[in-house]
Amino acid sequence: MIAAPPTAAANLHAGNPDSGGARTGVDTLSVTSTTTGVQQVRSGGVLANPARGLTLSRLGAVAAIGALVLTGCGTDVDDITVGSGKGWTTAHNDGRNSGVSPVTGSRKLSLGWSRPVGGPVEEPLTIGPDGQMFLTTSAPNNCAILSLQMLTGRKRFCNALGPNAISAPSVVDSGTNVYVGDDSGVSAFNSIGQPRWRTPVAGVPVSAQFTGDGNILTVTQSGQIDVLSRQTGERVVSTTQLLGDPDFLEYPDLTRPTSGQGLDDCAIGGPQCPVANISPIEVSSGRFFVTLWEPGKPIAALVALRYADNKIQQEWSADLLTEGSATSPTLSADGQTVYVGDNSKRLIAVDAADGRTKWVQPLDWAPRGGISVSSDGLIIPSGDDGHLLALRDNGDAAEIVWERKDLTLRGTPVQTAGDTGYTAAAIGDGINLITFDTKTGATVDSDALPNAKGTTTGTSIGPKGEVVLATRIGEVFVFKPDR
């Protein structure tokens, strides 16, 4: 572990989970409900704080209690799979953060529906194998994780969590169970929003991925790493603290910082946010990669760790992210290269085995969000100050394949099967969804997001080729293939 000043390390001391709540049921586009307190107990799992525990709607309470009783009679057999497939199961679709869908993308789309969600959105939407969507927000009615139906946009459920859940990405398994972090905790819900478990952590999980053995890997902005059982929420291995553990014997006056400390700096990869991005993982080996800005250091690092043999170990650390990074790294399909951007307007290829820099490609902008990397090595970076650009890794240098300086990005480009890509771009005073040919960069379709303003949080692909975007001010747009 890496040593840290006591004030930084104190931020990593695990505490009790903050309050949360749940509201279930299908309704109209409004999101309201009356709640009553329920204590969650799961056999072999985690006990929610009874004083500030999860709450359920009166209509859903009886069903939820019944479900919780049944879990006590369950087994340890897990027949629910995880990982990529139909749907968009993590913020960047899969463990390596590829931003690529195996679904053949349509080249002719039309707007299916749009709706406001009642609050801002920061993270890309995730989509289950049946098309059920999930997003985190911060709405005045305490709606923090919202689930919508793909067909109509109607609400599936809306659950209350801590106020910083908006900064936490969700992940979805093949059973449409969703896992999401918030203030000092990680929670699991089933497809209708009933709580399954909650586990306390220090900080807010800004990264969540599935491991090769079907567990949940989370990293908070303050550098706490946990591997949690999807079934029970129990820790599978000991917690790892990237900034070290606080020494309360030497510094008895240390106090626990707020769970959201530094989150405002995460969006720009600033120094107040030690871990700002979603970590990619190679599920076959357990190796994963974290961007880390240690307090007091002039430069941020890319750190390689491995989850294997019932432990987490650091393999290497490379100080190479000048001015920090707000780009979630992406792992190549063969697992040999990690691609990451930094705030000095560079795209960097790093050897995954030893942290050696393979090449550096200057950009006209500081990349943000994700980097889409196809299985054949086509690399498309993102960033709201940038334009649509594709590169290819030639081993010791990057080659620009094509460039569209006429398309200013307003979101994260993604790729699909069939040489088709999608991105949000500025067209006039508005935003359009651009469908482009990934071989040439040529536009093949352009569809307006009616009255959309600002930028989008990402681009997600549904199981039937739907393209889903959310604006940061809080409106969801679903485009469906024309058959």
Side-chain angles (χ1 to χ4, degrees), residues 462-477:
K464 296 181 180 179
E466 305 95 338
V467 183
V468 183
L469 308 95
T471 60
R472 294 187 182 277
I473 61 175
E475 188 167 10
V476 176
F477 296 83

Side-chain angles (χ1 to χ4, degrees), residues 191-280:
S191 62
I192 61 172
Q194 294 173 331
R196 298 177 59 225
W197 51 259
R198 178 177 172 85
T199 299
V201 299
V204 175
V206 295
S207 176
Q209 292 282 14
F210 292 117
T211 62
D213 56 2
N215 295 309
I216 305 292
L217 171 70
T218 64
V219 188
T220 69
Q221 93 281 12
S222 53
Q224 177 170 312
I225 302 175
D226 285 293
V227 180
L228 308 176
S229 165
R230 278 190 306 120
Q231 292 289 85
T232 66
E234 291 179 315
R235 285 178 167 83
V236 177
V237 297
S238 298
T239 292
T240 296
Q241 305 284 13
L242 287 172
L243 300 182
D245 290 295
D247 189 339
F248 290 104
L249 292 177
E250 184 175 354
Y251 302 98
D253 295 330
L254 285 178
T255 58
R256 175 179 166 83
T258 61
S259 59
Q261 179 172 300
L263 279 178
D264 290 344
D265 238 14
C266 292
I268 59 172
Q272 301 306 311
C273 178
V275 178
N277 302 299
I278 298 171
S279 298

Side-chain angles (χ1 to χ4, degrees), residues 433-456:
L433 172 62
I434 304 297
T435 304
F436 61 92
D437 188 305
T438 58
K439 287 187 174 180
T440 65
T443 298
V444 295
D445 193 20
S446 180
D447 299 277
L449 279 63
N451 302 313
K453 301 296 181 183
T455 62
T456 63

